[in-house]
Amino acid sequence: MQTNFTPEQLADPHVETSEKILRSCVHCGFCTATCPTYVTLGNELDSPRGRIYLIKDMLENDRPADEKTVKHIDRCLSCLACMTTCPSGVNYMHLVDHARAHIEKTYKRPFFDQLTRNILALVLPYPGRFKASLYAAKMGRPFAAILKAIPPLKRFGAMLDLAPTEIARPSPYAKPGAHAPVAEKRGRVAILTGCAQPVLKPGINEATIKLLTRIGVEVVVPEGEGCCGALVHHMGREEKALVDARRNVDAWTRAIDNGGLDAIVITASGCGTTIKDYGHMLRLDPDYAEKAARVSALAKDITEYLSTIDLPAPAIQPNLTVTYHSACSMQHGQKITMAPKSLLKAAGFAVKDPPEGHLCCGSAGTYNIMQPEIAAQLKERKVRNLESTRPDLIATGNIGCITQIASGTGIPIVHTVELLNWIYGGDKPAGVPDARPGQRTSLEALVEAAE
Ligand code: SF4
Ligand code: SF4
């Protein structure tokens, strides 16, 4: 794609990066076929190619964002399916990040839009505030339908719909400290405790720590780490995202300097995508560029890390069929496609892929709150596809997908690592069916997986 930026514009390193990305797009439109918003809405401006044109026009003319551009960029899920499909290697993620930061600086949003964003940014990244908001949501739940019927308040209704009916107790495993291995030591990792996940499902990190220590890996929960910054990053609040990134880089650097780390293990793929991008996000900060690149190189999804380790023989044979839902941040953001399924198969599950597995479930951070109508359509489509495989349960690697899909199906959905912890000697995750007695023959397992 031809661009017309002036030398003065290109002196800005953000513009320089975006210009290179824009030039790599050849307008072929292949990306439109796999873009969930284009597939759902059928509007070119809600496709990657359409958004790229809007961003180019906005940045090239150095003008404030307008309503039309904001509308179509806001509708982007940041699922990155377009990056998987694009034959030219267009880095849409960095381009849309720049566009969102430009929008945040130059566009005045309507009152309720701004209010919702402010509330989300002030609550979700902080576990204490988030937990308090869940108690408030529990009381407000009966009013969800009323709020959804009032257009400016529909997002508050969507928030109430998503709030869990039961609020989990905090896990003692989330406290800073080191968890010693209970088998012969063969590794040392740090774990991201994060923000929303330990409030919604503390059992995920607990299962991770129990599994890792049982197989000989020391797990450090570093003092001072917190939200990865993805939530505000996707809102275009760049400075706040960089504050979060620097704080985490500092916490993990202390852990690296004090005993070394083989990996920084992450159990929410949405966070993993952002942490793996810290090196890019902090590339212009001379005090952090190198440290951030080191942290990004060490960041591993839990399934990526477990794939590097010889696991023991399974303690039980589940004889259950799992349909694996690959989160967008897992398959498109981090390009991890095989590791979770291989681990589940090795643990004795029959593993199925759903149809249209590349399409987002509509969760996408706070998307299901900010764009509830599109998110609901995507959820319905995702649930239909998952249920068509008739599994005993669904596994995935991202808390946002778990919350979104669970609100649309009665099939149990759990994190992949919760299942692995169970099979390798831990507790069975709540809601998962019991292991079936009897040994499924390999032929039966193959036939079932192929159905
Ligand atoms: S990130 Fe997802 S929603 Fe956004 S343009 Fe790409 S494919 Fe479409
Ligand atoms: S597939 Fe890639 S090169 Fe083709 S239009 Fe989409 S972003 Fe541009």
Side-chain angles (χ1 to χ4, degrees):
M1 180 182 286
Q2 260 199 339
T3 59
N4 291 300
F5 289 94
T6 63
E8 291 73 32
Q9 285 176 303
L10 292 172
D12 177 338
H14 298 288
V15 174
E16 189 202 4
T17 302
S18 290
E19 194 251 4
K20 285 198 184 107
I21 298 170
L22 289 167
R23 290 180 80 90
S24 65
C25 175
V26 296
H27 329 241
C28 65
F30 288 172
C31 51
T32 56
T34 56
C35 171
T37 53
Y38 182 74
V39 169
T40 305
L41 303 167
N43 180 346
E44 171 74 14
L45 293 179
D46 288 313
S47 78
R49 184 172 58 182
R51 292 184 177 114
I52 288 169
Y53 276 115
L54 290 172
I55 296 169
K56 175 180 184 285
D57 185 56
M58 176 175 73
L59 296 179
E60 218 170 45
N61 293 307
D62 209 3
R63 62 169 172 75
D66 58 24
E67 198 182 332
K68 178 174 145 192
T69 306
V70 173
K71 174 179 166 182
H72 296 289
I73 299 297
D74 279 358
R75 282 183 179 170
C76 170
L77 295 135
S78 277
C79 70
L80 309 182
C82 46
M83 284 180 64
T84 298
T85 312
C86 176
S88 291
V90 172
N91 193 324
Y92 178 84
M93 176 169 86
H94 289 157
L95 186 65
V96 81
D97 285 347
H98 182 192
R100 288 194 167 120
H102 185 83
I103 289 169
E104 186 65 16
K105 281 189 204 122
T106 62
Y107 184 70
K108 188 165 168 36
R109 290 180 179 275
F111 175 77
F112 279 107
D113 189 9
Q114 190 63 41
L115 177 70
T116 317
R117 289 168 161 264
N118 289 346
I119 291 173
L120 291 172
L122 284 170
V123 172
L124 279 186
Y126 305 93
R129 295 179 199 174
F130 182 43
K131 187 154 207 162
S133 77
L134 292 185
Y135 282 109
K138 209 172 166 180
M139 288 190 287
R141 226 181 152 84
F143 305 104
I146 299 171
L147 292 177
K148 282 193 289 183
I150 305 169
L153 302 179
K154 65 183 178 189
R155 288 165 174 161
F156 295 100
M159 280 187 216
L160 295 180
D161 269 351
L162 282 168
T165 45
E166 295 300 323
I167 299 169
R169 287 202 187 144
S171 167
Y173 286 78
K175 291 189 180 136
H179 299 271
V182 292
E184 190 187 342
K185 185 171 173 179
R186 56 168 155 166
R188 184 175 192 262
V189 301
I191 188 167
L192 169 77
T193 47
C195 51
Q197 181 180 281
V199 175
L200 290 170
K201 265 203 121 186
I204 295 174
N205 274 354
E206 196 167 314
T208 306
I209 293 171
K210 286 179 176 173
L211 173 62
L212 288 173
T213 51
R214 202 179 307 119
I215 61 175
V217 179
E218 181 184 359
V219 183
V220 181
V221 182
E223 180 90 50
E225 53 94 277
C227 173
C228 67
L231 188 131
V232 284
H233 185 52
H234 290 151
M235 286 182 180
R237 299 182 180 194
E238 223 28 58
E239 283 314 310
K240 173 69 177 86
L242 294 182
V243 167
D244 289 337
R246 287 189 191 100
R247 187 204 51 233
N248 285 346
V249 167
D250 283 339
W252 290 322
T253 299
R254 283 193 297 273
I256 294 167
D257 294 343
N258 185 18
L261 289 177
D262 302 322
I264 297 162
V265 166
I266 299 147
T267 55
S269 58
C271 308
T273 304
T274 298
I275 293 165
K276 287 182 176 180
D277 201 40
Y278 277 1
H280 175 82
M281 288 164 66
L282 288 165
R283 71 196 184 286
L284 303 174
D285 182 335
D287 294 331
Y288 277 86
E290 206 181 312
K291 287 188 282 183
R294 182 163 60 155
V295 159
S296 289
L298 278 173
K300 298 268 179 292
D301 182 75
I302 178 63
T303 55
E304 235 181 334
Y305 179 69
L306 286 173
S307 299
T308 66
I309 287 191
D310 285 333
L311 291 168
I316 55 167
Q317 179 66 37
N319 290 333
L320 294 172
T321 300
V322 177
T323 295
Y324 177 70
H325 162 71
S326 190
C328 299
S329 43
M330 190 76 85
Q331 59 173 321
H332 305 306
Q334 299 185 55
K335 305 282 182 251
I336 300 171
T337 53
M338 296 312 293
K341 291 191 284 183
S342 301
L343 287 163
L344 288 169
K345 282 180 194 164
F349 292 97
V351 181
K352 291 184 176 180
D353 288 312
E356 299 186 324
H358 61 281
L359 284 182
C360 181
C361 66
S363 167
T366 56
Y367 193 90
N368 45 8
I369 295 169
M370 299 307 296
Q371 302 283 344
E373 290 92 358
I374 303 172
Q377 288 182 59
L378 289 170
K379 176 172 80 176
E380 198 198 316
R381 189 168 182 154
K382 178 61 69 182
V383 166
R384 201 168 53 235
N385 280 322
L386 288 165
E387 289 183 342
S388 74
T389 61
R390 292 181 289 121
D392 296 308
L393 67 154
I394 301 162
T396 189
N398 194 47
I399 184 67
C401 308
I402 292 176
T403 310
Q404 173 81 342
I405 293 168
S407 69
T409 183
I411 299 172
I413 174 164
V414 291
H415 195 287
T416 309
V417 78
E418 293 182 284
L419 292 179
L420 297 175
N421 177 50
W422 171 40
I423 299 304
Y424 292 105
D427 296 331
K428 182 164 76 69
V432 167
D434 290 335
R436 288 211 187 93
Q439 186 79 29
R440 183 199 273 113
T441 65
S442 48
L443 181 61
E444 282 169 339
L446 269 175
V447 169
E448 201 167 324
E451 275 178 359

